[in-house]
Amino acid sequence: MTHEEYRAAWRWVIGLADSGEVPLFLDLFFESTVERLTFDGRPGSAGSVEGPYHLPDAPELTGRPFVLPMRADEPGTPMLVRGQVIDTAGVAHPGVEVDMWQAGNDGTYSGFVGDAPRSNLRGRMRTDEHGQFAVRTIRPAAYQIPRSGPTGEFLGMIGQHAWRPAHFHFILTSAGHQPLTTQLYFRGGDWLDETLPGGGDVAGAVKDSLIIDIGRDNDPDTIAAFGFDGPYETADHTFILSPAVPTPTV
Ligand code: MBD
Ligand code: FE
């Protein structure tokens, strides 16, 4: 490396820090590798990266049926997300905390970009006595890394597109089990397929078992209970928790 190159790299790193994109840059380029090195082979269902847009203080949703906090005119296709939480022995787990967050129909995360309230499309809820939860939301759009910042410029320099496929984020927490940080993607969505020109997820975090099929339904009782306007999409997934690692005794 020449001294001139060193100074250019120095300026670029300082610009990254000044832009506030350090969490974005690190999670984009390194987190999926660390996640696989740490958790590949763990029993239970697959995890995925947390990414830079989790907020630890999302509102606790109490009254059922759950509706993720959203604006009165929240744009996007209405969707019902239904989860079943079991352990590796197949036993259902009630009272598991499900912390869920997602981008909106414009691909932005509340609290980071745009003028949606800080807790928009974020919430923490608990599984019922059958280890299940169901929550009304809207289908998230694919996420594009901002093109104007240093991370977007870097992607341009290496000839890489800036897209993540549409996804939900989850962190499941249950006493006696390892926390499960994961994501769900939608079959047939853009930026999923590594083999297409341009490639797949820019963050490299998609796993086959996390790609789910979108259903469509218009059950009148569900529409009434959850406050849908009409037909809605459905997304179902079984989350399998891994037993906690015993702490070594001295
Ligand atoms: C995201 O929304 C995300 O989930 C990750 C891992 C990286 C950048 C943006
Ligand atoms: Fe994300």
Side-chain angles (χ1 to χ4, degrees):
M1 183 184 276
T2 65
H3 188 256
E4 193 186 351
E5 285 166 346
Y6 167 76
R7 290 320 294 185
W10 188 100
R11 274 193 303 277
W12 187 83
V13 171
I14 298 297
L16 180 68
D18 289 347
S19 74
E21 288 188 356
V22 169
L24 174 65
F25 187 87
L26 291 178
D27 290 352
L28 204 60
F29 286 102
F30 303 110
E31 192 179 9
S32 75
T33 303
V34 177
E35 195 278 333
R36 287 173 212 271
L37 287 170
T38 309
F39 296 123
D40 271 6
R42 173 172 71 170
S45 52
S48 188
V49 298
E50 177 173 319
Y53 298 127
H54 179 241
L55 292 177
D57 56 353
E60 201 173 327
L61 312 185
T62 44
R64 284 173 204 274
F66 297 132
V67 178
L68 221 52
M70 65 176 85
R71 295 162 289 183
D73 53 353
E74 190 67 41
T77 307
M79 189 175 243
L80 182 64
V81 176
R82 290 178 294 216
Q84 165 82 60
V85 183
I86 60 175
D87 62 22
T88 48
V91 178
H93 280 268
V96 175
E97 187 192 82
V98 179
D99 185 346
M100 174 176 171
W101 71 104
Q102 64 172 97
N105 190 50
D106 62 354
T108 66
Y109 285 88
S110 64
F112 292 89
V113 172
D115 51 14
R118 178 178 159 87
S119 55
N120 209 52
L121 301 175
R122 301 172 180 277
R124 289 179 294 131
M125 54 210 145
R126 288 194 183 267
T127 57
D128 65 12
E129 67 270 31
H130 308 294
Q132 293 171 342
F133 68 92
V135 60
R136 181 184 133 203
T137 183
I138 55 104
R139 174 152 50 88
Y143 168 89
Q144 188 182 28
I145 310 292
R147 298 314 308 258
S148 54
T151 307
E153 276 172 24
F154 187 92
L155 292 170
M157 287 189 279
I158 64 172
Q160 163 70 54
H161 74 72
W163 290 90
R164 295 215 65 220
H167 57 279
F168 291 117
H169 288 269
F170 299 91
I171 299 177
L172 275 62
T173 313
S174 174
H177 301 89
Q178 295 181 41
L180 177 62
T181 300
T182 194
Q183 302 188 13
L184 293 178
Y185 306 91
F186 309 111
R187 197 177 313 285
D190 293 333
W191 316 111
L192 279 174
D193 192 341
E194 306 284 341
T195 64
L196 287 180
D201 180 14
V202 60
V206 175
K207 298 178 184 179
D208 283 348
S209 63
L210 299 178
I211 302 176
I212 60 173
D213 294 298
I214 297 179
R216 243 185 116 65
D217 211 344
N218 60 353
D219 172 56
D221 294 340
T222 306
I223 291 172
F226 284 87
F228 286 114
D229 290 334
Y232 51 92
E233 293 184 338
T234 58
D236 298 275
H237 186 65
T238 300
F239 300 86
I240 307 173
L241 300 179
S242 195
V245 184
T247 28
T249 47
V250 183

